[in-house]
Amino acid sequence: MTPTLHEDLQLQVRDLEIAVVSGAERKPVVKGISFDIRRNETVCLVGESGCGKSVTALAVMGLLQTPPMRIVGGEILLRAGEEVFDLARLDPRGRAFRRLRGAAVSMIFQEPMTSLNPVHRNGAQIVEVIRRHTGLGRRAAWQRMLEMLRLVGIPSPEVRARQYPHELSGGMRQRVMIALALACRPGLLLADEPTTALDVTTQAQILTQIRELSRSSRTSTLFITHDLGVVAQIADRVHVMYLGEVVESGPVREIFHRPRHPYTRGLLASVPSIESEPFSRLTPIRGTVADLPENPAACPFEPRCESGFGLCRGRTPPLFEVSTSHRSKCWLEQEGRP
Amino acid sequence: MLELIIRRTLNVIPICLVVFTIVFCLMRIAPGDPATAMLGDYASAEAVQSLRQEMGLDRPLWSQYLDSLRGLLHGDLGRSLSSGAPVSDQIASALPETLALAASSLAIGLLLGVPLGIVTAVRRGRPVDHAGRLFSLSGLSIPSFVLGILLMLLFAIDVPIFPAIGGGRSGDLSDQLLHLALPSLTLGLIMMAYVTRVMRTSMLNVLQEDYIRTARSKGIGELRVVLRHALPNCLVPLVSLCAINVIVLISSSVMVEIIFSRPGLGRLLISAMRQRDYVSLQSVLVVYAGIVILVNMTADLLYGVVNPRIRSR
Ligand SMILES: Nc1ncnc2c1ncn2[C@@H]1O[C@H](COP(=O)(O)OP(=O)(O)O)[C@@H](O)[C@H]1O
Ligand code: SF4
Ligand SMILES: [Mg+2]
């Protein structure tokens, strides 16, 4: 059976479950998350460190570290040209997946300082992916690489292409990574905290770069971050993750102006915004990510939740529809509650 | 680059002088002397005394030292105290034997050890890995003389494929190569054990690196990931291992040359030691020191070749 995907969608993740498997033990790190990305859309995956954002993106790339990680359930439907693939069922080492990786879907990693091979020249690293997927000759691939370096705003690309990664700053290296990721015009770009390791000015430039390039090349983007400021600048829609689950999804305006889930509200209250009173207090979310409820059937956020009530300790809330585009995984949304 | 090479080569000279001085002093401190060694314990005191005089050993130490040093600087290493042959001739005939042994052992070690290291790393925890590790552990624990004798028993006596002893007829290359087989296999297998272990460890480390994940994200095959992206990054530790081990190799070659009766530097060294032949001994030791220094220098240059970060400095 060939998987089907709604024609508006570039990627659809359904009930994806990923676990760390060691022996007979199975520690779930992504617990049945569902989200989708439309064509030419930028979707943000937001959440505190360790909630499973990178693991989710790596699963889409087929780059999960196996063992110990394993996809134990769900679907990852990806559009590649006319075809649709279920990546959760494709062998990550197989030929079919390798043909997609770098061409239909590609990824920018969090660590610009270590993500490029120190013994290869910058240009050659991009040429390699171009030649792998496009069948361009050496010279044509070199030209395409120079064009990509120019596009991502690298001055004197001919010089930079012949240098080694250690001769570039972190920001420049991340630009090389962006050029590498976009070189084969993928339908889907996964950007895993691409600006977290950079200083603020560089961060802003890189962010603009990614946004403009993915718009102009009609690439859908999954942008992973824990920084709501970044979300506000770049996202069309947002999925908020908490402990391996998506707890709230909606358009970026809804999430910022009418957040529903107590966790999202907490996140918003803990960052300063341009509208907040000068010197007003920021409110951190109490507790830490590691706090789990005593009852495994309870709402996972219950130990840290300000609005919890009886029901929350007994049962996990389902994903409630707040509006056609906005969902929240919280009992507060249940009919008949304030 | 060229300037670096020249500067390093000039550095060799003072180091050799220091080695020479140390060797000179040590030998005079050590008990026994060449005249007694030649004439035997029962020689009369007068006979020993006159031989010492003939050898110039009765002169003050500093004058002996300056004489030898002057000779060394002029390229005249003197004559062997025991045989009277020019030491430079002895070394000229022994050095190639030792270098051939070291080079071929190193080649065997690298040609077998690098692939085995890669395979055991990539197939970590599988049967190949366990077998490979057992193999390299045995290589690391077996002394060279035991392995040498075992190989000799196996391939020269039980199954006589190779000659057991000697260096081969001079001028007959294929005969010399046949004679080189077992000695270089002995040292080569030991070298291979070291290379396999270092290669496996560094390959395992490199495969965890972020840039390997980037390489995989391009959709290239695993073989290319390992050979083109991981392997070049493993070469830095490999070069340092080789630099250290060539030195180990040169010193184990002494043992192997004795076992297989190869006419190399090692044998020259041992017989000079037995005869208290100061003149030969000090020259041989200076040559050994020179080899060690040259190996280190080559390794330093190779670092630059395998690591662009060092090259650009
Ligand atoms: N290679 C791995 N082996 C074991 N556990 C892992 C591995 N990678 C990630 N995890 C676990 O998966 C969880 C999610 O990690 P990650 O996706 O990196 O979080 P983040 O949202 O910060 O990107 C964490 O609890 C982490 O400990
Ligand atoms: S379900 Fe209850 S505990 Fe969970 S987030 Fe909603 S209010 Fe808080
Ligand atoms: Mg992460």
Coordinates of all heavy atoms in Angstrom, one line a residue, chain A residues 289-319:
Chain A
V289 N 12.0 20.2 34.2 CA 11.5 19.2 33.2 C 11.4 17.8 33.7 O 10.5 17.0 33.3 CB 12.3 19.3 31.9 CG1 11.6 18.6 30.8 CG2 12.7 20.7 31.5
A290 N 12.3 17.5 34.6 CA 12.4 16.1 35.0 C 11.2 15.7 36.0 O 11.0 14.5 36.2 CB 13.7 15.8 35.7
D291 N 10.5 16.7 36.5 CA 9.4 16.4 37.4 C 8.3 15.6 36.7 O 7.6 16.1 35.8 CB 8.8 17.7 38.0 CG 9.8 18.3 38.9 OD1 10.8 17.7 39.3 OD2 9.5 19.5 39.3
L292 N 8.1 14.4 37.1 CA 7.0 13.6 36.5 C 6.0 13.3 37.6 O 6.3 13.3 38.8 CB 7.6 12.2 36.1 CG 8.3 12.2 34.7 CD1 9.0 10.8 34.5 CD2 7.4 12.4 33.6
P293 N 4.7 13.3 37.2 CA 3.6 13.0 38.1 C 3.8 11.6 38.7 O 4.4 10.7 38.1 CB 2.3 13.1 37.3 CG 2.8 12.9 35.9 CD 4.2 13.4 35.8
E294 N 3.3 11.4 40.0 CA 3.4 10.1 40.6 C 2.6 9.1 39.9 O 3.0 7.9 39.7 CB 3.0 10.2 42.1 CG 4.1 10.8 43.0 CD 3.5 11.4 44.2 OE1 2.4 10.9 44.7 OE2 4.1 12.3 44.8
N295 N 1.4 9.5 39.4 CA 0.6 8.6 38.7 C 0.9 8.7 37.2 O 0.7 9.7 36.6 CB -0.9 9.0 39.0 CG -1.9 8.1 38.2 OD1 -1.5 7.2 37.5 ND2 -3.1 8.5 38.3
P296 N 1.3 7.6 36.6 CA 1.7 7.7 35.2 C 0.5 8.0 34.3 O 0.7 8.5 33.1 CB 2.3 6.3 34.8 CG 1.9 5.4 36.0 CD 1.6 6.3 37.2
A297 N -0.7 7.8 34.8 CA -1.9 8.1 34.0 C -2.3 9.6 34.0 O -3.1 10.0 33.3 CB -3.0 7.2 34.4
A298 N -1.6 10.4 34.9 CA -2.0 11.8 35.1 C -1.5 12.6 33.9 O -0.7 12.2 33.1 CB -1.4 12.3 36.4
C299 N -1.9 13.9 33.9 CA -1.4 14.8 32.9 C 0.1 15.0 33.2 O 0.5 15.3 34.4 CB -2.1 16.2 33.0 SG -1.3 17.5 32.1
P300 N 1.0 14.8 32.2 CA 2.4 14.9 32.5 C 2.9 16.2 33.1 O 3.9 16.3 33.7 CB 3.1 14.7 31.1 CG 2.0 14.1 30.3 CD 0.7 14.6 30.8
F301 N 2.1 17.3 32.8 CA 2.5 18.6 33.2 C 2.0 18.9 34.7 O 2.4 19.9 35.3 CB 2.0 19.7 32.3 CG 2.6 21.1 32.5 CD1 3.9 21.3 32.5 CD2 1.7 22.1 32.7 CE1 4.4 22.5 32.7 CE2 2.2 23.4 32.9 CZ 3.6 23.6 32.9
E302 N 1.2 18.0 35.2 CA 0.5 18.2 36.4 C 1.4 18.7 37.6 O 1.1 19.7 38.3 CB -0.3 17.0 36.8 CG -1.3 17.1 38.0 CD -0.6 16.9 39.3 OE1 0.3 16.1 39.4 OE2 -1.1 17.5 40.3
P303 N 2.6 18.1 37.8 CA 3.4 18.5 38.9 C 3.9 20.0 38.9 O 4.2 20.6 39.9 CB 4.7 17.6 38.9 CG 4.3 16.5 38.0 CD 3.2 17.0 37.1
R304 N 3.9 20.6 37.7 CA 4.4 21.9 37.5 C 3.2 22.9 37.2 O 3.4 24.1 37.0 CB 5.4 22.0 36.4 CG 6.6 21.1 36.7 CD 7.5 21.1 35.5 NE 8.2 22.4 35.3 CZ 9.0 22.7 34.2 NH1 9.1 21.8 33.3 NH2 9.5 23.8 34.1
C305 N 2.0 22.4 37.1 CA 0.9 23.2 36.5 C 0.3 24.1 37.6 O 0.0 23.6 38.7 CB -0.2 22.3 35.9 SG -1.5 23.2 35.1
E306 N 0.0 25.3 37.3 CA -0.6 26.3 38.2 C -2.1 26.1 38.2 O -2.8 26.5 39.2 CB -0.3 27.7 37.8 CG 1.2 28.1 37.6 CD 1.8 28.4 38.9 OE1 1.1 28.5 40.0 OE2 3.1 28.5 39.0
S307 N -2.7 25.5 37.1 CA -4.1 25.5 37.0 C -4.7 24.0 37.2 O -5.8 23.8 36.9 CB -4.6 26.0 35.7 OG -3.6 26.8 35.1
G308 N -3.8 23.1 37.7 CA -4.3 21.7 37.8 C -5.5 21.6 38.7 O -5.6 22.3 39.6
F309 N -6.3 20.5 38.5 CA -7.4 20.2 39.4 C -7.5 18.7 39.5 O -6.7 18.0 38.8 CB -8.7 20.9 39.0 CG -9.1 20.7 37.6 CD1 -10.1 19.8 37.3 CD2 -8.4 21.3 36.5 CE1 -10.5 19.5 36.0 CE2 -8.8 21.0 35.2 CZ -9.8 20.1 34.9
G310 N -8.5 18.2 40.2 CA -8.7 16.8 40.4 C -8.5 15.9 39.2 O -7.7 15.0 39.3
L311 N -9.2 16.2 38.2 CA -9.2 15.3 37.0 C -7.8 15.1 36.4 O -7.4 14.0 36.0 CB -10.1 16.0 35.9 CG -10.4 15.2 34.7 CD1 -10.9 13.8 35.0 CD2 -11.4 15.9 33.8
C312 N -7.0 16.2 36.5 CA -5.6 16.2 36.0 C -4.8 15.1 36.6 O -3.9 14.5 36.0 CB -4.9 17.5 36.2 SG -5.9 18.9 35.7
R313 N -5.0 14.8 37.9 CA -4.2 13.8 38.6 C -4.6 12.3 38.2 O -3.9 11.4 38.5 CB -4.2 14.0 40.1 CG -3.2 15.0 40.5 CD -3.2 15.2 42.0 NE -4.4 15.8 42.5 CZ -4.6 17.2 42.5 NH1 -3.6 17.9 42.1 NH2 -5.7 17.7 43.0
G314 N -5.8 12.2 37.6 CA -6.3 10.9 37.4 C -6.1 10.4 35.9 O -5.8 9.3 35.7
R315 N -6.3 11.3 35.0 CA -6.2 10.9 33.6 C -5.5 11.9 32.7 O -5.5 13.1 32.9 CB -7.7 10.8 33.1 CG -8.3 9.4 33.4 CD -9.4 9.0 32.4 NE -10.6 9.8 32.6 CZ -11.5 10.1 31.7 NH1 -11.2 9.7 30.4 NH2 -12.5 10.8 31.9
T316 N -4.8 11.3 31.7 CA -4.1 12.2 30.7 C -5.1 12.9 29.8 O -6.0 12.2 29.3 CB -3.2 11.3 29.8 OG1 -2.6 10.3 30.6 CG2 -2.2 12.1 29.1
P317 N -5.0 14.1 29.6 CA -6.0 14.8 28.8 C -5.7 14.5 27.3 O -4.6 14.2 26.9 CB -5.7 16.3 29.0 CG -4.3 16.4 29.5 CD -4.0 15.1 30.2
P318 N -6.8 14.4 26.5 CA -6.6 14.2 25.0 C -6.4 15.6 24.4 O -6.4 16.6 25.1 CB -8.0 13.6 24.6 CG -8.9 14.2 25.6 CD -8.2 14.4 26.9
L319 N -6.1 15.6 23.1 CA -5.9 16.8 22.4 C -7.2 17.4 22.1 O -8.0 16.9 21.3 CB -5.1 16.5 21.1 CG -4.2 17.6 20.5 CD1 -3.2 18.2 21.5 CD2 -3.5 17.1 19.3

